[in-house]
Amino acid sequence: MAGPGYPRPSMSNGIERLAVNTVRALAMDAVQKANSGHPGMPMGMADIAVTLWSRFLKVDPTAPDWPDRDRFVLSNGHGSMLLYSMLHLCGFPLTMDDIRGFRQWGSHTAGHPEIDHGLGIEMTTGPLGQGFATGVGMAIAEAHLRARLGEDLVDHRTFGFVSDGDLMEGVSAEAGSLAGRFHLGRLIYLYDDNEISIDGSTDITFSEDVVKRFEAQGWHTQDIDGHDLEAIAEALEAAIGLEDRPSLVVCHTHIAHGAPNAQGTAASHGSPLGDEEVRLAKEAMGYPIDPPFHVEPEVYAFFESAMAWGKEERSRWEKRLEAADNEERRLWDQLHSPARVRLDGPGFTVGDKLATRSASGMVFAEIAEKVPGFIGGSADLVASTKTVIDSSSRFSEANPESRDIPFGVREHAMGCVTNGLAVHGGLKPYAATFFVFSDYMRPAVRLSALMRAPSIWVWTHDSVFLGEDGPTHQPIEHLASLRAMPHLWVIRPADANETVAAWEIALNRSDGPVGLVLTRQDLPVLATDREGVARGGYILREGSDVTLIATGSEVHVAMEAADALARDDISARVVSLPCWELFKAQEEEYRTQVLGTAPRLAIEAAVSFGWERMVGDDGLILGIDDFGASAPDTVIAEKLGFTGPAVAARVRDHLTR
Ligand SMILES: Cc1ncc(C[n+]2csc(CCOP(=O)(O)OP(=O)(O)O)c2C)c(N)n1
Ligand SMILES: [Mg+2]
């Protein structure tokens, strides 16, 4: 049973039924007015939404971003009108004008819900499966923070709505498995089992036994009529009362419930019902047909009284925060208002040789000490990615305070969970794997960029120079494709010092994600400039006849080439350009000063795509426009011309053309 305190408004006066019908009517009207959108899901899940929000969800519409609120994730984000209606009716700062402006330019009511904690929208959903898996991250964040700060300060749940599409997506299998393994008892998902997806009956493609699947993953499951308010409430109470496992409530529903002709049809998923069907549906529910967007005052009053409990919970929580003992309070403040961090690094000597992944690993202890919210892990590659904070323990239900999360071989869920940790608040998460497998987490990386979530992506084994594992493991197009993603900062440091600088930038960024692209192979420590990394690119070696621009492991090759050219009286400048995005953000004057007016040659062990914009029309690009090869790294460098002498020869050739 749920603990005391859950508000249970009277069921007898039919007000809940009216509230449910209001949600249905608003969804129909908004979609009709926009002439686009998804009426089916909001109508099908209205009973579930009204029950959850009015009786269980711990939120305060006057403080939508209160840290100890319950999180609500709408994974089937196409049903966004359901969320917008609930937020509006419950008194969040989402107005009827916003609802009328559904899907329009400049409105707060995008087709799919985008993150806006000020309005009560927890995360960006739309790509199916993302919400499911991101919610798992939020539940991990709650369990972890509760273990460190105590139940007085951290005591909330993560609820989510998920659909057939969410459960068909592979990432829900990865994330569901992880949630079961970690016994995330405060994670509760309501599955809209309406047996319909866009192409028709789910019977065509989705025949697995969902209950058995989730039970096998360690979840608690229930199977209910999703239009029976009492059954929904009882299922939620049971799910809340049970804390040793995550819960899935399979809710049997009808898509477009209440629309006489559209109910149960795939067409109602994503098309306006049409004026006549809207009229018939309203008539059938006994709802006023005109004007549209009508809400009875008692419905607002019903939700206002239902929200009173959440408001009281928040004021009780604020008192507990005030009364918290010094140590807890200090940790709370450090986690929730982090100070700028400055990393010293272990100190490297020019000429020493180490991989940038190793330099990264060497700075972990310092980061963990200076950044109490630092948390993360890898997809079964701890030793290879050198990402460990404390090797003596790892996150589990027995060790929720551990900051090392073992994700297993689940890159996609790892990406989503990391975003969940980031948007939950209080934490500074990272996730690590081989760079080539960034493909497996790309949808989550994209959402981190879209949400401006400060997730840190650690990608090691960053080029063909990982060697013998061969082309399947060698990233080629990844740098270009990730640089193409708005708001993601991709940093490829040239040596150990630049790696420390890159970490410092990543840790201090709060308005978006940073990807750190690190080598497997050793690189010499150069006389690199940490401040230069913050500007995205800088002159590492002065020269006037030619400018060699390189990133990561190709910077030392450029330096060797410059040495060779100097012997022929050719003065080569070397520019280290670890981060395009930061470099682009500099004043034009700085950029032209760094790149210079001499002919330019770009060197990077990846596709040449995009480098034209750095070298100009008469520049030269030394890239790799094909997949790699399985061989020792020195042989690959020799064969592909990524050595000092080979680069010098290319430059001489180019200059004498
Ligand atoms: C990753 C991804 N693929 C495809 C889509 C397009 N899409 C939106 S909803 C949907 C399936 C609809 O079925 P269901 O999830 O059962 O939702 P319902 O129609 O029952 O509301 C699809 C394929 C998407 N949003 N995300
Ligand atoms: Mg469905």
Side-chain angles (χ1 to χ4, degrees), residues 110-272:
H112 294 83
E114 294 175 15
I115 190 165
D116 192 335
H117 287 169
L119 292 180
I121 300 171
E122 290 295 345
M123 70 159 290
T124 299
T125 60
L128 290 164
Q130 290 294 312
F132 183 114
T134 307
V136 172
M138 296 180 188
I140 291 175
E142 196 272 347
H144 173 75
L145 290 169
R146 180 156 36 90
R148 289 175 69 188
L149 289 159
E151 212 157 30
D152 272 358
L153 300 186
V154 183
D155 181 20
H156 54 267
R157 296 189 164 72
T158 304
F159 293 93
F161 286 180
V162 304
S163 66
D164 298 306
D166 285 302
L167 299 195
M168 287 190 225
E169 289 292 352
V171 72
S172 68
E174 292 181 20
S177 169
L178 200 59
R181 173 63 196 90
F182 288 160
H183 297 261
L184 299 174
R186 291 177 170 219
L187 181 69
I188 299 170
Y189 284 167
L190 296 131
Y191 163 37
D192 186 24
D193 186 4
N194 60 13
E195 298 178 21
I196 285 286
S197 68
I198 295 178
D199 283 353
S201 165
T202 50
D203 187 46
I204 304 166
T205 53
F206 193 47
S207 58
E208 72 210 40
D209 185 328
V210 169
V211 167
K212 279 192 186 153
R213 165 179 151 187
F214 277 82
E215 299 230 311
Q217 288 191 333
W219 289 56
H220 169 247
T221 61
Q222 300 175 79
D223 202 314
I224 62 161
D225 173 354
H227 299 301
D228 177 340
L229 299 176
E230 273 314 296
I232 299 163
E234 275 165 31
L236 280 166
E237 260 185 73
I240 287 168
L242 184 136
E243 293 224 348
D244 65 335
R245 278 166 290 165
S247 263
L248 183 78
V249 184
V250 177
C251 306
H252 296 276
T253 63
H254 304 123
I255 193 165
H257 186 83
N261 301 300
Q263 175 172 317
T265 66
S268 73
H269 160 88
S271 322

Side-chain angles (χ1 to χ4, degrees), residues 347-593:
F348 302 104
T349 311
V350 172
D352 278 0
K353 291 195 85 179
L354 76 164
T356 51
R357 65 171 168 152
S358 301
S360 164
M362 287 164 76
V363 87
F364 258 55
E366 187 187 348
I367 296 173
E369 194 197 314
K370 292 183 172 170
V371 183
F374 190 58
I375 186 171
S378 73
D380 203 42
L381 286 170
V382 171
S384 301
T385 57
K386 314 248 184 231
T387 48
V388 68
I389 295 172
D390 177 358
S391 55
S392 70
S393 82
R394 49 171 78 105
F395 182 91
S396 68
E397 82 278 19
N399 275 323
E401 70 289 345
S402 167
R403 296 154 74 183
D404 289 283
I405 303 177
F407 286 107
V409 193
R410 299 184 184 95
E411 293 83 7
H412 194 176
M414 171 172 78
C416 302
V417 166
T418 302
N419 288 340
L421 296 168
V423 300
H424 177 278
L427 296 171
K428 188 74 196 177
Y430 76 89
T433 186
F434 291 161
F435 192 32
V436 80
F437 302 135
S438 60
D439 285 340
Y440 273 51
M441 53 198 290
R442 192 174 174 102
V445 175
R446 183 170 195 272
L447 279 197
S448 72
L450 183 53
M451 292 193 286
R452 304 295 202 106
S455 301
I456 301 175
W457 309 117
V458 179
W459 290 310
T460 67
H461 297 59
D462 72 340
S463 75
V464 290
F465 301 126
L466 63 84
E468 294 87 339
D469 272 344
T472 59
H473 280 48
Q474 294 168 345
I476 290 289
E477 71 282 20
H478 301 73
L479 277 167
S481 78
L482 288 163
R483 282 179 186 140
M485 196 181 279
H487 305 304
L488 170 68
W489 294 354
V490 179
I491 310 183
R492 186 169 186 245
D495 73 347
N497 293 317
E498 284 199 5
T499 304
V500 177
W503 263 110
E504 196 174 282
I505 291 163
L507 292 167
N508 288 317
R509 184 172 192 204
S510 60
D511 66 351
V514 178
L516 304 178
V517 180
L518 307 173
T519 68
R520 169 181 188 263
Q521 78 278 19
D522 287 344
L523 303 177
V525 175
L526 305 169
T528 42
D529 173 12
R530 288 180 53 175
E531 301 313 315
V533 178
R535 307 191 81 169
Y538 63 98
I539 299 169
L540 178 60
R541 170 188 173 125
E542 265 302 358
S544 51
D545 296 330
V546 63
T547 300
L548 310 180
I549 312 166
T551 78
S553 53
E554 286 67 74
V555 173
H556 80 91
V557 177
M559 291 294 273
E560 285 154 29
D563 284 341
L565 290 166
R567 290 192 283 275
D568 295 343
D569 281 336
I570 298 172
S571 161
R573 171 183 294 189
V574 175
V575 170
S576 175
L577 199 73
C579 181
W580 282 30
E581 294 78 15
L582 287 171
F583 190 64
K584 271 184 283 181
Q586 303 305 309
E587 303 271 325
E588 190 176 346
E589 197 188 327
Y590 176 77
R591 281 183 281 131
T592 39
Q593 181 225 320

